[in-house]
Amino acid sequence: MKPRITPETPLRSPSGETVWGSDAIARLLHALELPYVALNPGASFRGLHDSLVNDVGNREPQMLLCLHEESAVSIAHGYAKATGRMMGVVLHSNVGLMHGTMAIFNAWCDRVPMLILGATGPWDAARRRPWIDWIHTAADQGALVRGYTKWDNQPASVPAAYDALLRAAQMAMTAPRGPTYVNLDAALQESALSHLPPLPDPSRFRAPEPPRPAPELVARAADLLSRAAAPVILVGRGNRTIESWRARVALAEKLQARAITDLKQAAAFPTRHPLHVGPPGSFLSDASARAVREADVLLALDWIDLAGTLNQAYGNAPVTAKIVSASCDVHVHRGFSMDYFGLPPVDVNLLADPDVVVPLLLEACRARPQAPAGGAPPAEDRRGNHEVLSLRAVADALNEATDGVDVCLTRLPLGWPGECRHFAHPLDYLGGDGGAGVGAGPGITVGAALGLQGSGRVPLALLGDGDYLMSVTALWTATHYRIPCLFVVCNNRSFYNDEAHQERVAKTRGRPVENKWIGQRIAEPDIDLAALAVAQGAKGLGPVTEPARLAPAIAEGIRAVQDGLVWVIDARVRPGYDADISGERAARLERAARS
Ligand SMILES: Cc1ncc(C[n+]2csc(CCOP(=O)(O)OP(=O)(O)O)c2C)c(N)n1
Ligand SMILES: [Mg+2]
């Protein structure tokens, strides 16, 4: 997809004799067809900034100015979630990188590709300006993000920078995908070159085709699944193509296997399908846990935290089901964070991308004619008359307002009742933020909206007030570049998730539950969330307090987004959740299963 937003067109610059180090780097980024670079400016990359504007003309990549580096990274994250494509980010020296780190961690945990360019004051101390170049030069800047990037490098010459950028792009796009970081020395960017080192041809440095598992392993997996009495598919991370979606459905139908999905990852299987066991959540529902426990063969398609899921279903009892795993996630495990989760037992390990594996299994499996034992009841479809604006009431209003409209949910709030919204297409929902770093929602939504331009889908975020407030200035990038999207802020005027935690602690310790709001409530004064949108050129509506008023408000917002606006609705929801999101219930079930 080519950039669709109106570029800020620079005046033509006179063609001079001199070529600069950063010109060479900018031309390579152009050759890589990087569509956008999100950034907040800084002197450490003033050379590159000049080259992007004046040498390559602010086109491929086109700059997206962001008001905070965390938004810049989240925008690239959302863009990759919606399109599967990588865009760039430029972060200023150590300080810009520090601002971007949480969002980089989210992108890493979510396995999305991203080319992050960094910059440092001149490594050659003799070329540093007093004071500022010294505080903005770090001995090993990449160390700040090495634990949650696939690769980092600080090239010392233009040919080395070519190599680093090609490698960074290739590695970011090789599954399991993720962010890579190339730190560009300010002095290298600002060096005059006697000639432009010849640009390499990026088509010769592309990410490799994904590997296919050995045919004998596929045959063994297919045999296990075809002979199973109660097969279950844990449908985890998958791509956003309709072909892969259909292949998953075809496999489940051929095997008459029940399918379980999860809200941490994007829509990957139709939730209304009779084989789907729901509702999807951050943890297994009771019905899903039962299905896992009763399965004799489990097929895990890059399922996030397979060991934890087995634990929830089995407790301490031995895992009796045979397990087939299709995932290559093991290739990105690093020592810093535990996003590799517990070590699950696996009987057939297909070390490959699940969307490569599914069509192979579909071909190799024999059809199982019988219906699955105790097929899942269809997910709930009830609509209520709501007296208070609960998350369930928000879901009903959303369903009413989006009837017949193609919407892409770019974010769901904590405590979302998974049974209240169905997914029928891979772009119906983009999944969580990967690292559970609050503040990701606004940027991810703007980036996804950018990627969805021209698709006919309305980008729509339902997000917490805490999430919105942490990164609300991401909206300005959307209004400035005319990237339409709709935000429905589920405003409980609290970091409520943690009120629930304080309540649990108080109960355990016999202390007053009434104190749980202290240090949590975002009230007195209430923040005018709509005004924060208006201040940035978006339309802001609310607070909406009446349940009956929300559906018309969302419908109006959708029309506005279709007309090209950025629209925010402050929906005053009651504090409290309609789903278990703490994992405490899951842990209780696990303990019960153990005893
Ligand atoms: C960066 C970051 N800070 C703090 C937290 C801890 N935390 C988890 S959920 C949450 C509350 C988020 O508030 P909001 O988005 O309003 O959702 P609510 O809990 O009210 O439903 C907090 C503070 C976190 N996960 N990430
Ligand atoms: Mg809140």
PDB file of all heavy atoms in Angstrom, residues 102 414 436-438 463-468 470 490 492 494-498 522 577, ligand 1:
ATOM      1  N   MET A 102       9.109   1.955  26.285  1.00  0.00           N
ATOM      2  CA  MET A 102       7.964   1.104  26.630  1.00  0.00           C
ATOM      3  C   MET A 102       7.231   0.638  25.370  1.00  0.00           C
ATOM      4  O   MET A 102       6.819  -0.516  25.256  1.00  0.00           O
ATOM      5  CB  MET A 102       6.974   1.807  27.554  1.00  0.00           C
ATOM      6  CG  MET A 102       5.879   0.848  28.002  1.00  0.00           C
ATOM      7  SD  MET A 102       4.360   1.630  28.532  1.00  0.00           S
ATOM      8  CE  MET A 102       3.608   2.067  26.984  1.00  0.00           C
ATOM      9  N   LEU A 414      -9.677  -2.792  29.153  1.00  0.00           N
ATOM     10  CA  LEU A 414      -9.567  -3.852  30.149  1.00  0.00           C
ATOM     11  C   LEU A 414     -10.974  -4.210  30.619  1.00  0.00           C
ATOM     12  O   LEU A 414     -11.838  -3.346  30.705  1.00  0.00           O
ATOM     13  CB  LEU A 414      -8.744  -3.348  31.341  1.00  0.00           C
ATOM     14  CG  LEU A 414      -7.283  -3.015  31.033  1.00  0.00           C
ATOM     15  CD1 LEU A 414      -6.667  -2.204  32.167  1.00  0.00           C
ATOM     16  CD2 LEU A 414      -6.506  -4.296  30.788  1.00  0.00           C
ATOM     17  N   ALA A 436       1.404  -5.129  27.478  1.00  0.00           N
ATOM     18  CA  ALA A 436       0.535  -4.593  28.534  1.00  0.00           C
ATOM     19  C   ALA A 436       1.082  -3.287  29.110  1.00  0.00           C
ATOM     20  O   ALA A 436       0.969  -3.036  30.304  1.00  0.00           O
ATOM     21  CB  ALA A 436       0.293  -5.632  29.642  1.00  0.00           C
ATOM     22  N   GLY A 437       1.674  -2.485  28.269  1.00  0.00           N
ATOM     23  CA  GLY A 437       2.129  -1.158  28.684  1.00  0.00           C
ATOM     24  C   GLY A 437       1.020  -0.164  28.417  1.00  0.00           C
ATOM     25  O   GLY A 437       0.699   0.133  27.271  1.00  0.00           O
ATOM     26  N   VAL A 438       0.402   0.341  29.478  1.00  0.00           N
ATOM     27  CA  VAL A 438      -0.725   1.269  29.315  1.00  0.00           C
ATOM     28  C   VAL A 438      -0.225   2.543  28.618  1.00  0.00           C
ATOM     29  O   VAL A 438       0.891   3.001  28.850  1.00  0.00           O
ATOM     30  CB  VAL A 438      -1.345   1.603  30.687  1.00  0.00           C
ATOM     31  CG1 VAL A 438      -2.408   2.688  30.557  1.00  0.00           C
ATOM     32  CG2 VAL A 438      -1.946   0.345  31.301  1.00  0.00           C
ATOM     33  N   LEU A 463     -11.139   2.404  24.516  1.00  0.00           N
ATOM     34  CA  LEU A 463      -9.965   2.387  25.381  1.00  0.00           C
ATOM     35  C   LEU A 463     -10.245   3.034  26.730  1.00  0.00           C
ATOM     36  O   LEU A 463     -11.192   3.821  26.864  1.00  0.00           O
ATOM     37  CB  LEU A 463      -8.768   3.037  24.685  1.00  0.00           C
ATOM     38  CG  LEU A 463      -8.697   4.540  24.462  1.00  0.00           C
ATOM     39  CD1 LEU A 463      -7.363   4.883  23.797  1.00  0.00           C
ATOM     40  CD2 LEU A 463      -9.803   5.033  23.587  1.00  0.00           C
ATOM     41  N   GLY A 464      -9.431   2.674  27.691  1.00  0.00           N
ATOM     42  CA  GLY A 464      -9.590   3.207  29.043  1.00  0.00           C
ATOM     43  C   GLY A 464      -9.178   4.671  29.095  1.00  0.00           C
ATOM     44  O   GLY A 464      -8.402   5.147  28.262  1.00  0.00           O
ATOM     45  N   ASP A 465      -9.706   5.381  30.101  1.00  0.00           N
ATOM     46  CA  ASP A 465      -9.319   6.785  30.257  1.00  0.00           C
ATOM     47  C   ASP A 465      -7.844   6.899  30.626  1.00  0.00           C
ATOM     48  O   ASP A 465      -7.155   7.822  30.173  1.00  0.00           O
ATOM     49  CB  ASP A 465     -10.207   7.486  31.297  1.00  0.00           C
ATOM     50  CG  ASP A 465     -10.334   6.720  32.611  1.00  0.00           C
ATOM     51  OD1 ASP A 465     -10.338   5.467  32.580  1.00  0.00           O
ATOM     52  OD2 ASP A 465     -10.436   7.358  33.675  1.00  0.00           O
ATOM     53  N   GLY A 466      -7.346   5.947  31.415  1.00  0.00           N
ATOM     54  CA  GLY A 466      -5.929   5.974  31.772  1.00  0.00           C
ATOM     55  C   GLY A 466      -5.061   5.805  30.533  1.00  0.00           C
ATOM     56  O   GLY A 466      -4.080   6.534  30.325  1.00  0.00           O
ATOM     57  N   ASP A 467      -5.439   4.882  29.691  1.00  0.00           N
ATOM     58  CA  ASP A 467      -4.716   4.612  28.444  1.00  0.00           C
ATOM     59  C   ASP A 467      -4.734   5.854  27.541  1.00  0.00           C
ATOM     60  O   ASP A 467      -3.708   6.281  27.012  1.00  0.00           O
ATOM     61  CB  ASP A 467      -5.413   3.425  27.763  1.00  0.00           C
ATOM     62  CG  ASP A 467      -4.649   2.866  26.585  1.00  0.00           C
ATOM     63  OD1 ASP A 467      -3.405   2.920  26.595  1.00  0.00           O
ATOM     64  OD2 ASP A 467      -5.301   2.354  25.649  1.00  0.00           O
ATOM     65  N   TYR A 468      -5.911   6.448  27.414  1.00  0.00           N
ATOM     66  CA  TYR A 468      -6.088   7.656  26.583  1.00  0.00           C
ATOM     67  C   TYR A 468      -5.229   8.803  27.109  1.00  0.00           C
ATOM     68  O   TYR A 468      -4.491   9.447  26.367  1.00  0.00           O
ATOM     69  CB  TYR A 468      -7.571   7.999  26.616  1.00  0.00           C
ATOM     70  CG  TYR A 468      -8.001   9.273  25.918  1.00  0.00           C
ATOM     71  CD1 TYR A 468      -8.133   9.327  24.535  1.00  0.00           C
ATOM     72  CD2 TYR A 468      -8.337  10.410  26.669  1.00  0.00           C
ATOM     73  CE1 TYR A 468      -8.571  10.492  23.899  1.00  0.00           C
ATOM     74  CE2 TYR A 468      -8.786  11.570  26.044  1.00  0.00           C
ATOM     75  CZ  TYR A 468      -8.897  11.604  24.659  1.00  0.00           C
ATOM     76  OH  TYR A 468      -9.333  12.750  24.038  1.00  0.00           O
ATOM     77  N   MET A 470      -2.621   8.861  29.014  1.00  0.00           N
ATOM     78  CA  MET A 470      -1.159   8.715  28.977  1.00  0.00           C
ATOM     79  C   MET A 470      -0.582   9.143  27.632  1.00  0.00           C
ATOM     80  O   MET A 470       0.546   9.588  27.568  1.00  0.00           O
ATOM     81  CB  MET A 470      -0.757   7.275  29.282  1.00  0.00           C
ATOM     82  CG  MET A 470      -0.700   6.958  30.759  1.00  0.00           C
ATOM     83  SD  MET A 470       0.258   5.461  31.025  1.00  0.00           S
ATOM     84  CE  MET A 470      -0.296   4.994  32.647  1.00  0.00           C
ATOM     85  N   CYS A 490     -13.692   4.645  27.335  1.00  0.00           N
ATOM     86  CA  CYS A 490     -14.511   4.034  28.392  1.00  0.00           C
ATOM     87  C   CYS A 490     -14.009   4.622  29.712  1.00  0.00           C
ATOM     88  O   CYS A 490     -13.112   4.072  30.359  1.00  0.00           O
ATOM     89  CB  CYS A 490     -14.396   2.511  28.346  1.00  0.00           C
ATOM     90  SG  CYS A 490     -14.978   1.866  26.772  1.00  0.00           S
ATOM     91  N   ASN A 492     -13.955   5.480  33.218  1.00  0.00           N
ATOM     92  CA  ASN A 492     -14.434   5.188  34.574  1.00  0.00           C
ATOM     93  C   ASN A 492     -13.763   6.104  35.599  1.00  0.00           C
ATOM     94  O   ASN A 492     -13.840   5.865  36.795  1.00  0.00           O
ATOM     95  CB  ASN A 492     -14.239   3.707  34.922  1.00  0.00           C
ATOM     96  CG  ASN A 492     -12.816   3.244  34.679  1.00  0.00           C
ATOM     97  OD1 ASN A 492     -11.896   4.062  34.602  1.00  0.00           O
ATOM     98  ND2 ASN A 492     -12.621   1.943  34.546  1.00  0.00           N
ATOM     99  N   SER A 494     -10.773   6.462  36.496  1.00  0.00           N
ATOM    100  CA  SER A 494      -9.911   5.745  37.436  1.00  0.00           C
ATOM    101  C   SER A 494      -8.921   4.861  36.673  1.00  0.00           C
ATOM    102  O   SER A 494      -9.185   4.446  35.547  1.00  0.00           O
ATOM    103  CB  SER A 494     -10.774   4.834  38.316  1.00  0.00           C
ATOM    104  OG  SER A 494      -9.963   4.011  39.123  1.00  0.00           O
ATOM    105  N   PHE A 495      -7.815   4.574  37.319  1.00  0.00           N
ATOM    106  CA  PHE A 495      -6.959   3.465  36.878  1.00  0.00           C
ATOM    107  C   PHE A 495      -7.563   2.222  37.541  1.00  0.00           C
ATOM    108  O   PHE A 495      -6.979   1.608  38.432  1.00  0.00           O
ATOM    109  CB  PHE A 495      -5.506   3.698  37.323  1.00  0.00           C
ATOM    110  CG  PHE A 495      -4.850   4.848  36.590  1.00  0.00           C
ATOM    111  CD1 PHE A 495      -4.676   6.084  37.193  1.00  0.00           C
ATOM    112  CD2 PHE A 495      -4.412   4.694  35.285  1.00  0.00           C
ATOM    113  CE1 PHE A 495      -4.087   7.140  36.514  1.00  0.00           C
ATOM    114  CE2 PHE A 495      -3.816   5.754  34.590  1.00  0.00           C
ATOM    115  CZ  PHE A 495      -3.656   6.973  35.204  1.00  0.00           C
ATOM    116  N   TYR A 496      -8.768   1.904  37.116  1.00  0.00           N
ATOM    117  CA  TYR A 496      -9.629   1.007  37.877  1.00  0.00           C
ATOM    118  C   TYR A 496      -9.023  -0.380  38.096  1.00  0.00           C
ATOM    119  O   TYR A 496      -9.220  -1.007  39.141  1.00  0.00           O
ATOM    120  CB  TYR A 496     -11.011   0.872  37.209  1.00  0.00           C
ATOM    121  CG  TYR A 496     -11.866  -0.047  38.010  1.00  0.00           C
ATOM    122  CD1 TYR A 496     -12.481   0.409  39.168  1.00  0.00           C
ATOM    123  CD2 TYR A 496     -11.965  -1.392  37.683  1.00  0.00           C
ATOM    124  CE1 TYR A 496     -13.205  -0.444  39.969  1.00  0.00           C
ATOM    125  CE2 TYR A 496     -12.684  -2.259  38.482  1.00  0.00           C
ATOM    126  CZ  TYR A 496     -13.304  -1.785  39.620  1.00  0.00           C
ATOM    127  OH  TYR A 496     -14.001  -2.630  40.412  1.00  0.00           O
ATOM    128  N   ASN A 497      -8.301  -0.855  37.084  1.00  0.00           N
ATOM    129  CA  ASN A 497      -7.689  -2.176  37.207  1.00  0.00           C
ATOM    130  C   ASN A 497      -6.992  -2.325  38.561  1.00  0.00           C
ATOM    131  O   ASN A 497      -7.041  -3.364  39.208  1.00  0.00           O
ATOM    132  CB  ASN A 497      -6.671  -2.342  36.073  1.00  0.00           C
ATOM    133  CG  ASN A 497      -5.888  -3.635  36.155  1.00  0.00           C
ATOM    134  OD1 ASN A 497      -6.442  -4.701  35.974  1.00  0.00           O
ATOM    135  ND2 ASN A 497      -4.606  -3.538  36.469  1.00  0.00           N
ATOM    136  N   ASP A 498      -6.372  -1.236  38.978  1.00  0.00           N
ATOM    137  CA  ASP A 498      -5.597  -1.315  40.211  1.00  0.00           C
ATOM    138  C   ASP A 498      -6.438  -1.063  41.454  1.00  0.00           C
ATOM    139  O   ASP A 498      -6.046  -1.460  42.552  1.00  0.00           O
ATOM    140  CB  ASP A 498      -4.379  -0.396  40.097  1.00  0.00           C
ATOM    141  CG  ASP A 498      -3.472  -0.941  39.005  1.00  0.00           C
ATOM    142  OD1 ASP A 498      -3.677  -0.570  37.825  1.00  0.00           O
ATOM    143  OD2 ASP A 498      -2.647  -1.808  39.310  1.00  0.00           O
ATOM    144  N   ILE A 522      -9.209   9.189  39.001  1.00  0.00           N
ATOM    145  CA  ILE A 522      -8.846  10.368  38.206  1.00  0.00           C
ATOM    146  C   ILE A 522     -10.048  11.316  38.278  1.00  0.00           C
ATOM    147  O   ILE A 522     -10.824  11.444  37.337  1.00  0.00           O
ATOM    148  CB  ILE A 522      -8.516   9.976  36.751  1.00  0.00           C
ATOM    149  CG1 ILE A 522      -7.565   8.765  36.712  1.00  0.00           C
ATOM    150  CG2 ILE A 522      -7.901  11.154  35.998  1.00  0.00           C
ATOM    151  CD1 ILE A 522      -7.339   8.180  35.321  1.00  0.00           C
ATOM    152  N   TYR A 577     -15.752  -4.189  36.115  1.00  0.00           N
ATOM    153  CA  TYR A 577     -15.532  -4.946  34.892  1.00  0.00           C
ATOM    154  C   TYR A 577     -16.624  -5.985  34.689  1.00  0.00           C
ATOM    155  O   TYR A 577     -17.234  -6.452  35.639  1.00  0.00           O
ATOM    156  CB  TYR A 577     -14.182  -5.663  34.941  1.00  0.00           C
ATOM    157  CG  TYR A 577     -12.996  -4.737  34.867  1.00  0.00           C
ATOM    158  CD1 TYR A 577     -11.814  -5.061  35.527  1.00  0.00           C
ATOM    159  CD2 TYR A 577     -13.050  -3.567  34.124  1.00  0.00           C
ATOM    160  CE1 TYR A 577     -10.716  -4.225  35.447  1.00  0.00           C
ATOM    161  CE2 TYR A 577     -11.954  -2.727  34.040  1.00  0.00           C
ATOM    162  CZ  TYR A 577     -10.785  -3.052  34.708  1.00  0.00           C
ATOM    163  OH  TYR A 577      -9.705  -2.243  34.628  1.00  0.00           O
TER     164      TYR A 577
HETATM  165  C1  LIG B   1       2.901   1.899  31.687  1.00  0.00           C
HETATM  166  C2  LIG B   1       2.028   1.221  32.654  1.00  0.00           C
HETATM  167  N1  LIG B   1       1.786   1.814  33.851  1.00  0.00           N
HETATM  168  C3  LIG B   1       0.990   1.217  34.757  1.00  0.00           C
HETATM  169  C4  LIG B   1       0.439  -0.004  34.472  1.00  0.00           C
HETATM  170  C5  LIG B   1      -0.435  -0.692  35.526  1.00  0.00           C
HETATM  171  N2  LIG B   1      -1.807  -0.658  35.068  1.00  0.00           N
HETATM  172  C6  LIG B   1      -2.386  -1.722  34.469  1.00  0.00           C
HETATM  173  S1  LIG B   1      -3.941  -1.412  34.031  1.00  0.00           S
HETATM  174  C7  LIG B   1      -3.873   0.131  34.660  1.00  0.00           C
HETATM  175  C8  LIG B   1      -5.072   1.026  34.644  1.00  0.00           C
HETATM  176  C9  LIG B   1      -5.346   1.552  33.277  1.00  0.00           C
HETATM  177  O1  LIG B   1      -6.383   2.495  33.375  1.00  0.00           O
HETATM  178  P1  LIG B   1      -7.489   2.607  32.290  1.00  0.00           P
HETATM  179  O2  LIG B   1      -6.871   2.588  30.956  1.00  0.00           O
HETATM  180  O3  LIG B   1      -8.336   3.763  32.642  1.00  0.00           O
HETATM  181  O4  LIG B   1      -8.313   1.274  32.423  1.00  0.00           O
HETATM  182  P2  LIG B   1      -9.157   0.790  33.699  1.00  0.00           P
HETATM  183  O5  LIG B   1      -8.190   0.061  34.577  1.00  0.00           O
HETATM  184  O6  LIG B   1      -9.744   1.981  34.357  1.00  0.00           O
HETATM  185  O7  LIG B   1     -10.194  -0.129  33.151  1.00  0.00           O
HETATM  186  C10 LIG B   1      -2.647   0.407  35.199  1.00  0.00           C
HETATM  187  C11 LIG B   1      -2.272   1.705  35.811  1.00  0.00           C
HETATM  188  C12 LIG B   1       0.749  -0.605  33.235  1.00  0.00           C
HETATM  189  N3  LIG B   1       0.294  -1.811  32.894  1.00  0.00           N
HETATM  190  N4  LIG B   1       1.510   0.044  32.335  1.00  0.00           N
END
